Amino acid sequence: MTSENISRRGLLHGSAALVAAVPAFGVVQAGVAPGHKASERTSMASVGMTINGQDVHLQLDPRTTLLDALREHLHLTGTKKGCDHGQCGACTVIVEGRRINSCLTLAVMHEGEEVTTIEGLGTPDKLHPMQKAFIVHDGYQCGYCTPGQICSAVAVLDEIEAGIPSHVTDDLDHVAFSDVELRERMSGNICRCAAYPNIIAAIRDASGHGAAEDKA
Amino acid sequence: MKFDSPATTSPIDRGRVIGKPLDRIDGPAKVTGTAPYAFERHDVAPNAAYGWIVGAAIAKGSITSIDSGAAEAAPGVLAVVTHRNAGPLAKGNMNTAHLLGGPGIEHYDQAVALVVADTLEQARDAAKLVQVDYAPVKGRFDLAAERDMAIKAPDGFGGAADTAVGDFAGAFARAAVKIDQSYTTPDHSHAMMEPHATTAAWNNGKLTLWTSNQMVALTLKDVAKTLGMKPEDIRLVSPYVGGGFGAKLWLRADALLAALGARAVGRPVKVAIARPQIPNNTTHRPATIQRIRIGAGKDGVIDAIGHETWSGDLPDGGAEMASQQTRLLYRGDNRMTAHRLATLDLPEGNSMRAPGEAVGLLALEVAMDELAEACNLDPVELRIRNDVQYDPEAGPQRPYSSRKLVECLRHGADRFGWSRRQARPGHMRDGRWLVGMGVASAFRGALTTDSAARVGVDGMGRVIVETDMTDIGTGSYTILGQTAAEMMGVDLAAVTVRLGDSKFPVSAGSGGQWGAASSTAGVYAACLALRRSLAEKAGFPVDQATFEDGLVRFGNQSQPLGKLAGRDGLWAEEKAEFGDLAKRYAQATFGAHFCEVGVDADTAEIRIRRMSGVFSAGRILNPKSARSQVIGAMTMGVGAALMEELTVDTRFGFFVNHDMAEYLVPVHADIPAQDVIFLDELDDKASPLKAKGVGELGICGAGAAVANAIYNATGIRLRDYPLTIDKLLERAKGSALFQG
Amino acid sequence: MRPFTYERATSVDGAAKAAAAVQGARFIAGGTNLLDLMKLQIETPAHLIDVNHLGLDRIEPTPEGGLRIGAHARNTDLATDKAVRRDYAVLSRALLAGASGQLRNKATTAGNLLQRTRCPYFYDTRMPCNKRKPGSGCGAIKGASRSLGIIGVSDACIAHHPSDMAVAMRLLDATVDTVAASGARRSIPIADFHRLPGETPHIETALTPGEIITSVTLPRPLGGRHIYRKVRDRASYAFALVSVAAVFGKDGSARFAFGGVAPKPWRVAEADAAAGAGAGAVAEAVLAGARSTAQNDFKKGLTARTLASVFRQTEGRP
C-alpha cells in the first residue's frame, strides 16, 4: 500500500483533508515500491494538489497523467478517457480555473494546483446548474463525453465573460455570447452520439441566455 | 407472450408516462460522472492489474517468433499472454477473425499479445518490449482492384443477397428515362467515445466480465465458445455503454484478453483498446461500390430499378448489404438487387449504425435526385409519385403495416421552406456562399426480436425492472421505466430499472434499431403477468382490475401495490415473442431529410446551414430521447457525407488514419440547429406498444440530402464519398460558379 | 511511454545546463504534443525538465517598439493579449484557428513552434518514416499523402508543419530567442528556425542540444489589414489543408505566409512582391517548384483559391 490509497480514502470519505506538505521537488524523489525486486526499481515522484477542494498527496510514477491519477489513483472516474491523445475532449477538467485535456499533462506537473473535476461541480443530489441543464435539454446520450462537455461548458462561459476571443469572434475586442460562439468553443469536445444542439441549448439555459437563438 | 396479432387497446394507450418527453432516469448519474463504465469498476474489482494489447505490425502472414523476455522482466509486469500460452481458443460465432492472432495473422493490429502489469504505465511501456517477428505474405486490400473477383455474397441478416422480380433488363432497356450511375462509400469507423473496455475477474473457475457491450447474451455465448466454458460459469455485466453504433455488438479483444490476462495473473485485469488501435483492431463499416440503374417514364414513375453492391471482407466474412432498401422503398414492377463480396485482408468489416441502408441510401437517394432532374421534376414530387403502400416485390398481398413517407415528405417540405429552393443548380447565393437545398427519403427496417424481462414490486410499492437489455445512449433505461410505470400505474420516479447483466432475463439487446420496440415488449409482457398476479392476490377479476396511482383498483375497492407484494415482493418474468406479423406485413420506419448547405465559392468549404427531418416510426415512446437519437444519427450522416473515411494504404494493408485527429467526425461547429418532427402514428402490427425504433432511421438518407444540397448549390454531382474539398475542386475547374 | 526522471527547473540557465548534461533530456512546458508522442514512443526522453515555472510567460513591449512573448505564454493568453489583438491580429487569429480551447489553454508559444508533423506514417511506429527513424524510408510519398506537404519537401520526407501560430510568426518576421547550455544567448530569425527536410528530415530546427527557447520577439507592428484564413475538412478542431496568413498595407503592399503545405511555415519574397498583381500571381510565386502527389495536388489549386478568398476579403467583396 502506498500513500495514494490513504489519500484516496481521505478524499472519498470526505474526512479531514490530508494536507500535503507541498514539497518543492527540484530533484526527483526516488523511491522503491514495496514488494519489488531491486531490478524493478521505479522512481516515484510525489505531488500535492487540491482536487475539488480537498488536498491530496500522491506518490506517483512520473509517467502518470493527470487523467490517470484521477481515474486510477483517486478513483475519480467521472473524468473520462476517450482517446488519451487530446483528440476528443472527454478528459476535460478545470485546472487553476482553466479547462484542459487531463490526458496530455502529467500529474506531477500540477504541484500545488487546484483541480476541479465533474465530481467537484455537483453530485446527483446537488446538481450544478449546468448539470441540471444537460438533463433538461438531453445534452447527452451514452454519457461518456458528458463530464468533459460539462466541465468545458462551465469554463466556456467564464472565457466569454473574460473577453477571450475565439475563431468566430468578429471583433477581437468585443466578445459576445452567441450560439455560433458556443459551437466553436465547444468543438474540442466531441460527442459521437452528437447531442450537439441539445448541449448548446443546455449551455444557453445554464448561462441565463434563455431559449435557443438559431432556429432552423 | 406471443405477439402474433395486431395490438389492441392496452394500458399503454393511456399515455400518462409513455409518449411523454421525460428526462432520462440515468441522467443524474451521467452528468455527475457517477455512472460506472467498464474500465471504472474499482467498486467491484479492486486492485485490478492493467493489460495492454500489442497489435500485429503486418496485415497478413504469420508470426515467426515472439520474444517476450524483455517485457516479462520489465518493472511491474505480471504476465505476457500470447497464442503460445493462452491455451486453446475457439473463434466466436460472431467473429470473422481471431481475437488473439498467432501464429497466423489475419489483419493489421490484430492482437498478438497482452502485457499485464501492476500499473497502466508499466503495461503500456512493456508492450513495446514484446519483440514479434513476422513472415508477411501478400494480401488483398483494394476493393476496386478485387471487384471483378467478387462472388455472390452470403445472404445477410436483412435478407437474400440477390433478388429479381419481373424483367429488369428488358424494362430498363425500354425506359424513357434512364439513370445508370456508380457511387462509392469508404470504410467508416464507429468512433464511439468510450473505447472497447473490459474488467475481468475469475473466482473459482467462474468468470465475470464488466464490459462495454451492446448484446449481453449473444456475447456471453461467444465468450463461452471461445474459452471452452459453460455459459453458466460466465457473468457479463454491461450497465453503461459509452456508445457502440455496432462496434460493441460482439465479443472483442478487450474482453477476451482481459479474461485471459486475469486467468494468467490470478487477479482482476482490465483492458481498454487504445484509441489508435481501434480502427484496425476492431470492426468497421465496409466500403462499397454501388451501381444503380433506374428506368422511369417521363413522368418519373419508376418501371425498373436495380441496385448492385460490391464490398469486401476477410475470408468467411459478410457483405455490406447496401442494396437492401432498394427492394422496398419505391415502386416499380421490374426490380433486381445483388450483393457481391470480395475477399480483402483488411480488418474485419461488420455492422455499423444502420448497416445496409446508411450507405445504400447515400447512393439510392442521390440517384433519385438525378432521376428528378432528368425528368424535370421536383425531387419531393418524384418520391411521392413513386410511393408504394405495399412490398413492391411481393405485391399488394403484403401491405406495409404503416408507411407515411409521403406525409413526411410533404410536412418536411413545408417546415423547411422547400418551395424557396431553386431547381436550377447554382442559383442561390448568400455572400461568398453558394447555397443549395437537398432532400432525401429516410428508410430503415423495423426489426424486432424476442425479448424477456423480469418486473417486480417491492414492499414499498416500488417497481423494479430487470433485463439484460443495454442502454448505449439510446434511452433504454428511461423507456423501459416508462413502460413499467404506465403498465403498473406508478410514476416514473417509482421505478428502478436494472440493465445489462447476464443474471437478468435475455433481451433483444441493442442493435439494428430493434431495441426499443423489442425490449419494451418484454417489459410489457412481464408487467401483464405481474398485473395478473397482483390482481389475483387482491382477489380482483384480472380483466377488470385497473392500475393507477400505485393502487390496484376494482370498482370502488383498491389495494396498494406494495401491500399486495408484501415484504418479499412479487415478481413476474415473461418473454415477448414476435410471430409472423413481420412476414405478413412489410414493416419499416420512414422519414424525409431536408438540408441546406453553403459551399464557399472560392475554397469549396462545405458547411451545413440547417437540417430538418420529419419521421414516422410508430409510437414515439419518449420524444425527448427519440429526438436525440435522430439528431445524433443525422449528424453521423453529415459525417458520412462530408468527412468520414478510413483511408486504406493498399501497400501495407491498413487504415492509415487510425486516431481521432485524422479520422474526422463532426464537431459542434459543424452542426447548426436541427429540426426534428415525429408524425403521430401507432403501428399496431409492429409491437405490443405499437412502437418502432428510431435509433438508426436518422442516419438513413441524411448524407444523401447533404449531397443533393451540394449539387443544388454548385451543379457538381459528386458520387464518391466523402464529398471533400479536393473532389469538389477537381470538378470545379472551369465552373463559372467557382470564381477561383 | 518510457520511464523518465523528472525535475522541475528553477532557472533558465539551470534548465539549459541540465538538458545538456543528461542524455536524452527534453524540456516539457504545455506537453500537449510531447506527451502525445511519448505515449506512442515516438518521443522517448529519459529525463524531463519541467520549464513551466521559469517566469517565461510574460508578454511585454520591447524598447524597439515590438513585443517580447515569453516562451511559455499559453496560446490562449497570447491570442487574448491586448497588444497582440491590437497590433498583431493575424497572430491572434492564427492561434484561435488552431486546436481547441482546452489545448490552447495549455499549449505554449515555444511548444507550438516545436510541434511535430501529423503525418500518419510518422505517427505509426510500425511504418517506415525517415523523420522518426532515419533511413527507414518514407511511407507517405507513395501512400496516404492527402494532408501532407507540397512545397519544400524532399525525396526523404513530405511531412508538413501543422502549426497555425507559426505561420503568423513567420509572416511577422519573429525572432526566436534562446539560451544554450553554455549560457550563450542568441536570436534566431524564424525563417532560419525550422529546417527543410532534405536528406535529414529528423533534424527539424536550428536548436542545439540543451538550447532552450526563452521568448519569441516580434518587430514593430506592421499596421494594415490582418487576415488568417484556414481551410480544413471540418469547421473546427482540425489541422489546415491550407492556411494563409496575410497583412495588407495601406500602401498596396502585402505579405503572405502559408500553412499546411510545407515542412515549415512558408514564406517567399516573390509572393509578397507579386501582391500588386493579385491572388493568382501570388499563388504562382509561392507554388513555384511545388512537388505534389496525386493525393495532395489539390493543395495547389486550394492555395490559389484561399488566396483569392483572402484578397476578396480585403476588397470588401462578397
Side-chain angles (χ1 to χ4, degrees):
Chain A
M1 285 287 124
T2 51
S3 61
E4 78 202 44
N5 301 75
I6 300 160
S7 308
R8 185 179 72 238
R9 258 177 238 127
L11 183 78
L12 292 181
H13 294 163
S15 60
L18 290 145
V19 180
V22 181
F25 49 98
V27 286
V28 180
Q29 302 195 351
V32 180
H36 281 252
K37 297 184 294 247
S39 64
E40 296 176 349
R41 186 176 294 239
T42 45
S43 298
M44 300 293 274
S46 71
V47 62
M49 294 175 277
T50 305
I51 298 179
N52 300 329
Q54 302 260 15
D55 289 340
V56 297
H57 189 199
L58 296 169
Q59 285 286 124
L60 293 172
D61 182 325
R63 292 175 291 183
T64 312
T65 60
L66 178 59
L67 173 61
D68 287 325
L70 293 169
R71 283 170 65 81
E72 306 304 331
H73 295 264
L74 296 165
H75 296 189
L76 291 169
T77 53
T79 308
K80 303 303 183 193
K81 182 183 284 189
C83 72
D84 214 20
H85 288 273
Q87 303 161 357
C88 79
C91 67
T92 303
V93 298
I94 301 169
V95 176
E96 296 287 286
R98 292 183 160 204
R99 57 179 172 145
I100 65 166
N101 297 116
S102 61
C103 73
L104 287 187
T105 192
L106 298 171
V108 292
M109 292 165 68
H110 294 280
E111 177 62 39
E113 295 187 351
E114 290 215 24
V115 179
T116 303
T117 70
I118 190 72
E119 290 91 346
L121 289 180
T123 61
D125 298 329
K126 201 176 172 202
L127 295 168
H128 184 279
M130 190 65 78
Q131 292 170 320
K132 225 178 265 177
F134 267 64
I135 293 176
V136 170
H137 294 278
D138 215 39
Y140 52 72
Q141 289 176 41
C142 79
Y144 200 77
C145 75
T146 311
Q149 299 275 357
I150 291 172
C151 285
S152 221
V154 167
V156 158
L157 294 181
D158 289 344
E159 289 167 13
I160 292 174
E161 188 69 31
I164 294 172
S166 86
H167 175 60
V168 297
T169 306
D170 280 335
D171 177 349
L172 292 173
D173 294 329
H174 293 95
V175 177
F177 184 97
S178 72
D179 286 4
V180 171
E181 281 282 1
L182 293 180
R183 285 185 202 124
E184 163 59 24
R185 290 164 191 271
M186 291 299 293
S187 284
N189 291 85
I190 291 175
C191 174
R192 183 59 158 161
C193 300
Y196 293 136
N198 296 357
I199 292 169
I200 298 304
I203 301 172
R204 285 192 73 86
D205 192 354
S207 71
H209 282 82
E213 75 179 6
D214 295 349
K215 262 280 162 213
Chain B
M1 186 199 79
K2 197 118 181 137
F3 180 68
D4 50 10
S5 58
T8 53
T9 302
S10 81
I12 290 293
D13 292 312
R14 294 187 294 195
R16 291 174 192 171
V17 192
I18 278 287
K20 293 280 186 286
L22 300 175
D23 295 344
R24 289 172 199 248
I25 59 176
D26 47 336
K30 283 180 174 170
V31 301
T32 55
T34 50
Y37 295 81
F39 202 79
E40 303 166 354
R41 300 312 300 261
H42 300 288
D43 56 337
V44 287
N47 195 32
Y50 294 80
W52 195 271
I53 293 171
V54 180
I58 62 165
K60 189 173 168 67
S62 56
I63 295 173
T64 52
S65 73
I66 300 183
D67 180 358
S68 54
E72 279 156 14
V77 171
L78 304 168
V80 178
V81 177
T82 68
H83 74 279
R84 294 178 316 187
N85 62 8
L89 296 174
K91 193 170 78 179
N93 293 324
M94 307 309 293
N95 297 128
T96 305
H98 293 83
L99 296 174
L100 177 60
I105 296 298
E106 294 155 289
H107 62 86
Y108 194 78
D109 246 335
Q110 183 177 28
V112 295
L114 182 80
V115 176
V116 184
D118 281 326
T119 71
L120 185 149
E121 292 76 22
Q122 292 165 335
R124 180 176 57 198
D125 180 25
K128 284 277 186 188
L129 299 175
V130 179
Q131 190 62 45
V132 186
D133 292 325
Y134 301 93
V137 300
K138 196 170 166 347
R140 294 147 292 188
F141 308 116
D142 185 345
L143 176 60
E146 299 298 321
R147 173 181 174 161
D148 292 342
M149 265 77 82
I151 56 163
K152 186 185 167 192
D155 290 348
F157 191 67
D162 286 7
T163 62
V165 172
D167 169 22
F168 170 77
F172 182 70
R174 284 190 303 272
V177 182
K178 292 189 185 76
I179 298 295
D180 182 355
Q181 289 294 354
S182 288
Y183 307 84
T184 64
T185 63
D187 299 285
H188 289 152
S189 187
H190 309 81
M192 65 286 148
M193 298 308 298
E194 181 203 21
H196 303 73
T198 301
T199 303
W202 292 84
N203 193 359
N204 293 325
K206 297 191 183 220
L207 170 66
T208 304
L209 297 170
W210 293 272
T211 188
S212 186
N213 191 283
Q214 301 173 224
M215 301 287 292
V216 168
L218 188 77
T219 298
L220 188 148
K221 210 188 262 180
D222 266 353
V223 175
K225 184 181 176 202
T226 307
L227 292 172
M229 292 175 66
K230 290 191 218 129
E232 54 268 33
D233 289 340
I234 302 164
R235 183 177 164 212
L236 205 138
V237 189
S238 180
Y240 289 95
V241 180
F245 313 113
K248 296 171 179 170
L249 288 164
W250 332 116
L251 172 64
R252 297 304 313 169
D254 57 308
L256 177 63
L257 291 174
L260 294 173
R263 191 164 68 186
V265 304
R267 166 181 164 187
V269 166
K270 53 184 182 177
V271 177
I273 302 180
R275 180 61 66 178
Q277 297 175 328
I278 289 177
N280 287 294
N281 176 274
T282 72
T283 63
H284 64 278
R285 187 204 304 279
T288 65
I289 300 169
Q290 302 179 49
R291 181 188 186 196
I292 294 182
R293 284 173 290 171
I294 308 178
K298 286 187 178 138
D299 58 358
V301 173
I302 296 171
D303 188 40
I305 186 163
H307 191 161
E308 297 154 87
T309 299
W310 289 260
S311 64
D313 201 1
L314 288 164
D316 303 322
E320 181 65 25
M321 304 295 275
S323 306
Q324 264 174 176
Q325 72 287 318
T326 307
R327 299 176 59 189
L328 289 158
L329 185 48
Y330 296 117
R331 65 188 290 180
D333 292 338
N334 305 287
R335 334 176 55 90
M336 66 82 64
T337 65
H339 293 92
R340 294 290 172 268
L341 180 60
T343 301
L344 291 180
D345 299 300
L346 289 170
E348 176 177 335
N350 219 314
S351 298
M352 179 170 150
R353 200 176 205 170
E357 284 100 323
V359 289
L361 287 164
L362 285 174
L364 177 62
E365 286 302 286
V366 172
M368 287 297 281
D369 207 57
E370 302 196 50
L371 177 63
E373 192 180 34
C375 296
N376 199 18
L377 264 181
D378 183 279
V380 172
E381 175 59 24
L382 174 79
R383 287 171 173 84
I384 291 171
R385 284 189 191 180
N386 285 293
D387 185 50
V388 57
Q389 290 292 315
Y390 51 82
D391 171 353
E393 286 183 358
Q397 61 273 27
R398 186 171 184 247
Y400 272 97
S401 59
S402 69
R403 172 171 164 133
K404 293 192 176 174
L405 175 61
V406 170
E407 291 87 336
C408 290
L409 286 161
R410 290 215 164 103
H411 193 57
D414 269 359
R415 280 186 75 83
F416 185 74
W418 180 252
S419 59
R420 295 202 304 273
R421 172 179 177 266
Q422 303 283 324
R424 259 180 79 200
H427 278 70
M428 283 175 74
R429 189 83 193 231
D430 176 9
R432 66 188 173 108
W433 296 101
L434 308 173
V435 178
M437 296 184 185
V439 63
S441 299
F443 174 93
R444 173 69 177 152
L447 301 167
T448 43
T449 63
D450 297 353
S451 195
R454 185 156 65 215
V455 180
V457 177
D458 70 10
M460 306 296 289
R462 275 199 77 76
V463 174
I464 299 135
V465 177
E466 292 180 343
T467 164
D468 82 354
M469 182 61 189
T470 49
D471 188 328
I472 64 173
T474 38
S476 307
Y477 276 105
T478 310
I479 58 170
L480 295 179
Q482 287 175 274
T483 303
E486 193 74 80
M487 290 298 292
M488 302 313 298
V490 299
D491 290 340
L492 181 57
V495 183
T496 300
V497 181
R498 298 178 187 139
L499 299 182
D501 191 326
S502 60
K503 290 194 307 192
F504 301 150
V506 174
S507 73
S510 300
Q513 136 169 327
W514 61 61
S518 306
S519 66
T520 54
V523 170
Y524 170 88
C527 286
L528 281 182
L530 183 61
R531 285 164 61 107
R532 268 194 302 277
S533 303
L534 287 161
E536 278 164 12
K537 218 163 169 191
F540 299 162
V542 171
D543 294 347
Q544 292 169 55
T546 57
F547 289 72
E548 52 194 357
D549 305 328
L551 305 169
V552 192
R553 285 212 176 92
F554 170 62
N556 52 11
Q557 306 173 58
S558 70
Q559 293 257 32
L561 296 184
K563 195 175 153 209
L564 283 172
R567 217 167 31 127
D568 298 336
L570 199 62
W571 288 83
E573 182 173 332
E574 258 291 357
K575 176 154 97 174
E577 295 175 88
F578 289 85
D580 66 350
L581 283 170
K583 285 209 176 73
R584 283 151 55 198
Y585 298 91
Q587 298 190 354
T589 57
F590 298 90
H593 291 282
F594 294 84
C595 176
E596 180 179 305
V597 302
V599 180
D600 189 291
D602 286 311
T603 59
E605 292 158 287
I606 304 162
R607 297 287 180 264
I608 307 292
R609 291 159 67 97
R610 57 198 185 100
M611 294 183 90
S612 188
V614 177
F615 303 92
S616 161
R619 187 196 301 274
I620 300 302
L621 301 165
N622 181 326
K624 184 180 278 194
S625 57
R627 177 180 172 278
S628 294
Q629 284 282 286
V630 171
I631 63 171
M634 285 161 72
T635 297
M636 206 176 270
V638 170
L642 297 183
M643 62 189 83
E644 292 188 37
E645 173 175 20
L646 284 168
T647 306
V648 180
D649 184 314
T650 55
R651 305 160 304 162
F652 295 104
F654 76 123
F655 298 128
V656 182
N657 51 339
H658 52 74
D659 63 26
M660 294 190 72
E662 302 295 322
Y663 182 85
L664 298 185
V665 301
V667 296
H668 276 277
D670 291 300
I671 304 300
Q674 293 167 313
D675 174 50
V676 170
I677 292 290
F678 294 107
L679 296 184
D680 278 335
E681 184 187 63
L682 300 176
D683 188 336
D684 58 0
K685 299 163 196 84
S687 82
L689 274 71
K690 305 168 189 170
K692 299 187 265 202
V694 295
E696 299 185 335
L697 178 60
I699 192 175
C700 297
V706 176
N708 293 337
I710 292 170
Y711 175 72
N712 184 239
T714 63
I716 295 170
R717 183 73 74 182
L718 297 177
R719 299 185 183 88
D720 299 303
Y721 292 93
L723 314 180
T724 46
I725 288 169
D726 44 339
K727 293 173 189 166
L728 211 41
L729 288 184
E730 175 62 30
R731 296 277 304 282
K733 287 171 185 162
S735 161
L737 294 170
F738 286 89
Q739 302 141 324
Chain C
M1 205 182 284
R2 298 292 303 137
F4 54 81
T5 47
Y6 169 87
E7 74 173 282
R8 184 181 279 204
T10 51
S11 75
V12 173
D13 291 333
K17 272 202 188 73
V22 184
Q23 185 77 25
R26 290 291 305 265
F27 302 117
I28 186 165
T32 51
N33 191 214
L34 183 58
L35 289 167
D36 171 31
L37 295 169
M38 284 169 63
K39 288 179 184 184
L40 300 167
Q41 295 200 10
I42 295 164
E43 296 271 11
T44 54
H47 184 61
L48 279 188
I49 303 164
D50 182 344
V51 290
N52 278 297
H53 305 275
L54 305 180
L56 297 178
D57 55 357
R58 283 187 295 275
I59 302 166
E60 52 201 9
T62 63
E64 295 77 25
L67 199 67
R68 179 168 297 112
I69 300 158
H72 305 139
R74 308 289 155 174
N75 286 177
T76 299
D77 294 323
L78 184 55
T80 308
D81 181 82
K82 210 169 168 184
V84 174
R85 277 186 285 166
R86 185 187 59 224
D87 298 329
Y88 306 96
V90 67
L91 177 57
S92 268
R93 293 289 184 193
L95 283 159
L96 296 171
S100 68
Q102 292 94 312
L103 289 164
R104 292 193 296 270
N105 279 341
K106 207 89 192 87
T108 64
T109 309
N112 193 304
L113 289 177
L114 296 172
Q115 208 179 151
R116 306 200 67 190
T117 186
R118 300 299 310 192
C119 174
Y121 297 89
F122 174 74
Y123 258 81
D124 189 326
T125 52
R126 293 160 293 186
M127 286 292 132
C129 172
N130 287 322
K131 183 184 278 295
R132 178 171 34 73
K133 195 175 173 198
S136 63
C138 173
I141 290 173
K142 292 190 170 146
S145 57
R146 180 174 177 271
S147 62
L148 303 179
I150 56 170
I151 317 172
V153 295
S154 73
D155 289 336
C157 182
I158 59 169
H160 61 316
H161 195 269
S163 169
D164 292 297
M165 182 203 81
V167 179
M169 292 292 197
R170 177 71 186 84
L171 184 82
L172 295 168
D173 285 330
T175 52
V176 182
D177 312 312
T178 67
V179 173
S182 63
R185 286 158 199 273
R186 63 171 176 155
S187 289
I188 309 166
I190 190 160
D192 303 331
F193 183 78
H194 295 101
R195 296 181 39 148
L196 289 179
E199 294 301 308
T200 54
H202 58 292
I203 302 169
E204 296 177 351
T205 69
L207 294 176
T208 57
E211 188 170 7
I212 182 171
I213 300 173
T214 53
S215 59
V216 175
T217 302
L218 299 179
R220 292 162 60 93
L222 293 167
R225 176 95 186 260
H226 288 223
I227 294 172
Y228 188 76
R229 181 81 164 85
K230 179 177 182 179
V231 179
R232 43 188 158 177
D233 281 318
R234 67 182 176 195
S236 187
Y237 200 20
F239 294 97
L241 293 170
V242 169
S243 70
V244 175
V247 173
F248 289 82
K250 288 202 174 73
D251 57 358
S253 72
R255 54 167 81 187
F256 307 93
F258 300 84
V261 290
K264 57 189 269 186
W266 197 255
R267 185 163 169 223
V268 289
E270 292 81 358
D272 294 0
V282 175
E284 205 170 306
V286 73
L287 293 169
R291 286 174 51 176
S292 58
T293 67
Q295 289 188 14
N296 67 17
D297 189 61
F298 75 98
K299 286 193 175 189
K300 290 196 265 180
L302 185 57
T303 301
R305 287 170 169 280
T306 309
L307 277 164
S309 174
V310 166
F311 271 79
R312 205 180 313 287
Q313 211 175 320
T314 64
E315 293 156 8
R317 287 190 285 133

